[in-house]
Amino acid sequence: MINLHCNSNASSSLAYVGSRVSVNFKPVNFRTLTSDRRSGCVNLKCQVASGSDSRSVSNSSSLSAFELLKTSAAERYTKEKSGLMVIGLSFHTAPVEIREKLSIPEADLPKAITELCALNHIEEAAVLSTCNRMEIYAVALSQHRGVKEITEWMSKVSGVPISEIRQHQFLLYEREATKHLFEVSSGLDSLILGEGQILSQVKHVVKVGQGVPGFDRKISGLFKHAITVGKRVRTETQISSGSVSVSSAAVELAQMKLPEHSLASVNVLVVGAGKMGNLVIKHLISKGCKKITVVNRTEEKVSKICEEYKNVDIIYRPLSDLTSYASDSDVVFTCTASETLLFTKSQVRGFPFSQRLFIDISVPRNVESCVSDVEGTRVYNVDDLKEVVEANKRERFRKVVEARSIILEEVKEFESWKDSLETVSTIKKLRAYGERIRASEMEKCIEKMGGELTKKNQKAIHDLSKGIVNKILHGPMQHLRCDENEGRDLDDILENMEALNRVFGLEMEVSVLEEKIRSKMGKIQG
């Protein structure tokens, strides 16, 4: 990054094309020039100097400033703002009308990754597309250019104008992007706190991405670590326990009110096989219920439920048999869209005496409130269930603090792993450098000694040379690895890497990044 601070009326212009920098200054004298090479930032401070000051500055200083401008161009372009990022929209930031237009069908996910990685400044990518979010995770050679290219791509494939996408999108970089995905996989960013479906969706991203060019080491590692975090949070905090939906709360309440707190040995009737009825059946099965009678207008929906739960005895009965089957049931769940009452006080009074629960989760209500006046009968409606739901929600929110602590710990671990990748190429090049010297010098040694060496002696010399090189390289290698116990952080590691590259004449990482950009541009133009 280059900062020019000019305290004069003298005009200047700077043009940058590719890796070439062109600087045109009208006559001005330099009084101060400062440079911070460690941070990759060059600061040129230009001030109009007095006559005596101007004479004290030599031509070599001006040339030095110009050279600094030129040599910093590649670093300014590639290194300063490259890295991991997430660009997305979720139920927090965008209405469903926008999210549904941007969603990517499951079959198109590999194609989406390929198209994203074909963009000039995107190296790796993954897409997390659900009903509540559409998020693109990417490793970009240049963050601001990457954001621009991905936003344009989103607009192109969805038909949503760029201005509208920008109005609803969020952007997170590096550590914050990592933290966000870990919170998503843990259910902390879900509409229902702690829900488990999102973890399955994160797993699916990894499954779909396997073998797709662009779903590479950093992005793949990020999502695999997110799965580990999601599992750990749920295991250690039990954040998914406790009903936070009406259907699950209805089943939980029924279980609480039964004498033996068991649904396995009672007669259960579910009235209605729509979405809510289906969810009630699902939660009943999860609580150990093995036999369920379902009353519905038609058999079709019940048949589909039976196919899904083949190990459970689910019996269909028509609506005309409602009264007779309700009279024989211990627990009755009503979840229909009927606008008229299905059970009245006078009707239930005619049932055989029994301890009976009516759990009415319909709106409007299907069970007359005064049914609870019938001896042995208790009625619970949606308002009663809200207390259960809210209590469980409060408990889940208490667990969020613990979950966030785990996530911060895991973010730190992932970032250390990701940071270590920065030095991999330097380590490989340093080893190769040592090996070239070792092999060359050993060959010269053997030639000088003629054919007098036995295979045993040759092996001894080989092992000796290997041992010397390994011991010499051990120290530099250690200083390229993050080790908090020895007080080395990422800044120290990168500084050591730059020093080793310079001392041993190894290829600088910035040059590698520049080459990646040139390669991408070549493919696009080709």
Side-chain angles (χ1 to χ4, degrees):
M1 188 169 98
I2 302 172
N3 299 316
L4 293 175
H5 307 283
C6 300
N7 296 330
S8 74
N9 293 324
S11 62
S12 66
S13 64
L14 182 148
Y16 171 65
V17 180
S19 62
R20 185 176 72 253
V21 178
S22 174
V23 186
N24 301 307
F25 286 101
K26 287 186 177 181
V28 64
N29 295 316
F30 291 101
R31 189 167 67 186
T32 59
L33 170 64
T34 62
S35 169
D36 184 355
R37 300 296 294 172
R38 176 177 177 179
S39 65
C41 176
V42 177
N43 297 296
L44 300 180
K45 297 181 181 178
C46 309
Q47 297 175 320
V48 176
S50 64
S52 60
D53 286 339
S54 78
R55 284 190 296 273
S56 66
V57 180
S58 65
N59 289 333
S60 62
S61 297
S62 298
L63 287 173
S64 174
F66 184 70
E67 288 302 315
L68 282 172
L69 273 170
K70 289 198 298 182
T71 56
S72 66
E75 186 173 353
R76 177 167 60 95
Y77 181 69
T78 61
K79 189 176 181 181
E80 184 67 23
K81 293 185 180 179
S82 64
L84 176 68
M85 63 183 183
V86 56
I87 304 173
L89 301 91
S90 73
F91 67 95
H92 295 299
T93 67
V96 65
E97 293 80 11
I98 299 294
R99 299 199 310 272
E100 64 187 6
K101 291 177 183 176
L102 287 159
S103 66
I104 306 291
E106 182 181 323
D108 293 341
L109 290 175
K111 179 185 174 185
I113 294 172
T114 302
E115 289 182 359
L116 285 164
C117 292
L119 300 174
N120 290 352
H121 297 85
I122 306 301
E123 274 198 299
E124 301 181 31
V127 180
L128 179 59
S129 182
T130 74
C131 58
N132 285 327
R133 66 186 71 250
M134 195 291 192
E135 299 176 354
I136 296 174
Y137 293 80
V139 174
L141 296 171
S142 170
Q143 284 182 352
H144 74 278
R145 289 174 174 85
V147 169
K148 180 175 181 293
E149 290 172 357
I150 291 175
T151 305
E152 289 172 351
W153 178 85
M154 291 170 72
S155 176
K156 179 182 175 183
V157 298
S158 67
V160 178
I162 291 175
S163 59
E164 197 167 353
I165 292 174
R166 284 177 176 162
Q167 182 182 347
H168 298 287
Q169 75 181 175
F170 65 86
L171 306 172
L172 295 170
Y173 302 101
E174 297 296 357
R175 188 183 183 89
E176 289 303 312
T178 300
K179 179 169 168 281
H180 174 72
L181 181 58
F182 289 1
E183 289 180 347
V184 168
S185 67
S186 301
L188 267 61
D189 195 61
S190 297
L191 190 60
I192 298 176
L193 184 65
E195 59 93 6
Q197 187 180 9
I198 187 63
L199 182 57
S200 298
Q201 291 163 332
V202 172
K203 289 179 181 177
H204 190 67
V205 172
V206 175
K207 182 179 178 181
V208 169
Q210 294 299 322
V212 179
F215 190 77
D216 293 329
R217 191 170 187 182
K218 287 184 180 178
I219 289 294
S220 173
L222 173 67
F223 272 80
K224 288 176 180 176
H225 203 122
I227 293 169
T228 301
V229 175
K231 290 178 179 177
R232 183 185 169 193
V233 166
R234 286 173 173 80
T235 300
E236 294 185 19
T237 68
Q238 297 295 312
I239 196 168
S240 299
S241 64
S243 302
V244 289
S245 67
V246 170
S247 55
S248 60
V251 174
E252 188 174 303
L253 180 63
Q255 190 176 30
M256 288 167 56
K257 298 300 180 181
L258 289 170
E260 296 180 3
H261 304 296
S262 173
L263 289 158
S265 58
V266 296
N267 294 323
V268 178
L269 173 67
V270 177
V271 185
K275 183 178 179 180
M276 192 66 75
N278 196 338
L279 288 171
V280 167
I281 293 169
K282 175 184 175 182
H283 291 298
L284 282 168
I285 293 170
S286 71
K287 295 293 185 180
C289 193
K290 298 297 182 183
K291 183 177 179 180
I292 304 168
T293 302
V294 181
V295 170
N296 197 54
R297 292 184 186 279
T298 61
E299 189 175 1
E300 183 181 358
K301 288 183 178 180
V302 181
S303 298
K304 288 182 179 179
I305 295 171
C306 290
E307 289 176 10
E308 187 176 354
Y309 305 106
K310 293 180 179 179
N311 296 327
V312 180
D313 188 9
I314 299 175
I315 304 164
Y316 164 73
R317 289 292 180 263
L319 196 60
S320 56
D321 293 345
L322 174 62
T323 303
S324 62
Y325 278 94
S327 65
D328 292 333
S329 299
D330 300 304
V331 183
V332 179
F333 294 91
T334 59
C335 32
T336 77
S338 174
E339 294 185 5
T340 58
L341 293 170
L342 299 181
F343 297 100
T344 62
K345 180 178 179 179
S346 59
Q347 183 183 17
V348 175
R349 186 179 286 143
F351 290 178
F353 175 79
S354 173
Q355 295 293 329
R356 188 176 289 107
L357 286 176
F358 281 94
I359 300 182
D360 184 7
I361 58 175
S362 304
V363 179
R365 287 175 291 176
N366 291 165
V367 182
E368 192 175 19
S369 58
C370 58
V371 165
S372 58
D373 296 337
V374 177
E375 187 180 359
T377 304
R378 288 171 289 173
V379 178
Y380 299 94
N381 59 35
V382 172
D383 288 343
D384 298 314
L385 297 176
K386 282 180 180 177
E387 293 181 18
V388 177
V389 171
E390 288 305 314
N392 286 332
K393 280 184 178 179
R394 286 193 295 272
E395 179 60 25
R396 286 196 179 192
F397 277 114
R398 280 195 290 272
K399 293 174 180 176
V400 167
V401 176
E402 187 180 346
R404 291 195 188 281
S405 177
I406 292 172
I407 287 170
L408 289 176
E409 181 184 322
E410 293 287 350
V411 167
K412 188 176 182 180
E413 183 177 329
F414 176 79
E415 289 296 309
S416 294
W417 173 81
K418 183 164 67 73
D419 292 342
S420 70
L421 298 181
E422 298 292 330
T423 63
V424 169
S425 61
T426 297
I427 290 173
K428 288 181 178 178
K429 286 180 285 188
L430 187 56
R431 283 192 179 279
Y433 174 82
E435 177 59 22
R436 283 195 303 272
I437 293 175
R438 185 204 65 78
S440 174
E441 294 305 312
M442 180 177 167
E443 186 179 350
K444 290 176 186 178
C445 175
I446 291 175
E447 284 179 1
K448 286 179 181 179
M449 300 183 77
E452 301 173 4
L453 287 175
T454 64
K455 287 186 178 180
K456 183 178 179 180
N457 289 336
Q458 285 188 27
K459 184 178 184 304
I461 294 173
H462 176 273
D463 291 346
L464 175 66
S465 62
K466 277 276 189 184
I468 291 172
V469 169
N470 287 340
K471 286 187 181 298
I472 291 173
L473 295 183
H474 176 73
M477 294 290 191
Q478 285 296 102
H479 283 79
L480 289 179
R481 295 187 173 93
C482 286
D483 191 339
E484 292 183 358
N485 294 328
E486 296 185 17
R488 285 194 297 274
D489 58 17
L490 179 59
D491 288 339
D492 295 328
I493 300 300
L494 294 179
E495 188 174 347
N496 292 339
M497 183 179 75
E498 186 177 336
L500 286 170
N501 278 322
R502 186 171 61 252
V503 169
F504 289 99
L506 306 175
E507 184 183 28
M508 293 292 286
E509 188 69 16
V510 65
S511 301
V512 175
L513 287 171
E514 187 177 15
E515 187 56 39
K516 287 180 181 178
I517 294 173
R518 290 182 184 279
S519 175
K520 271 187 170 287
M521 293 298 290
K523 288 178 183 178
I524 298 296
Q525 293 170 358

